[in-house]
């Protein structure tokens, strides 16, 4: 899966689906999940939008830093 290193110094894994030119919708998983929670929904989501599924820091294949797990950190990552 694709990974992206972001300005906060963390590398996140993500997936994209749909129309790259369409309006973007970012899917964020809940606690103790990863971007893969959305896999079963993919066939039912609109193909007209750019759909971005991201694993937040500490989850899935994203980096698991020693610190930086506040709500502010998660918002900065997105």
């Amino acid at each position: 899966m694709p990974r992206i290193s972001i300005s906060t110094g963390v590398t996140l894994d993500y997936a994209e689906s749909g129309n790259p030119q369409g309006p973007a919708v970012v899917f964020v998983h809940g606690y103790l999940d990863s971007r893969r929670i959305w896999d079963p929904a993919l066939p039912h989501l609109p193909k007209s939008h750019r759909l971005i599924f991201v694993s937040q820091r500490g989850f899935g294949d994203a980096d698991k830093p020693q610190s930086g797990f506040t709500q502010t950190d998660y918002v900065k990552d997105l």
Side-chain angles (χ1 to χ4, degrees), residues 44-73:
H44 308 286
L45 298 173
K47 305 288 187 240
S48 58
H49 289 66
R50 178 182 180 197
L51 309 175
I52 304 165
F53 309 89
V54 62
S55 287
Q56 297 181 70
R57 63 170 63 203
F59 299 96
D61 293 328
D63 284 353
K64 296 164 181 63
Q66 293 293 319
S67 63
F69 291 93
T70 67
Q71 288 181 347
T72 301
D73 295 317

Side-chain angles (χ1 to χ4, degrees), residues 6 15 33 48:
I6 57 176
D33 268 323
S48 58

Side-chain angles (χ1 to χ4, degrees), residues 5-72:
S5 295
I6 57 176
S7 63
T8 58
V10 176
T11 299
L12 307 175
D13 73 313
Y14 70 98
E16 290 189 68
S17 182
N19 179 0
Q21 304 305 317
V25 179
V26 178
F27 289 75
V28 180
H29 61 81
Y31 187 66
L32 297 179
D33 268 323
S34 73
R35 62 157 186 81
R36 290 182 179 91
I37 191 70
W38 301 108
D39 288 352
L42 280 174
H44 308 286
L45 298 173
K47 305 288 187 240
S48 58
H49 289 66
R50 178 182 180 197
L51 309 175
I52 304 165
F53 309 89
V54 62
S55 287
Q56 297 181 70
R57 63 170 63 203
F59 299 96
D61 293 328
D63 284 353
K64 296 164 181 63
Q66 293 293 319
S67 63
F69 291 93
T70 67
Q71 288 181 347
T72 301

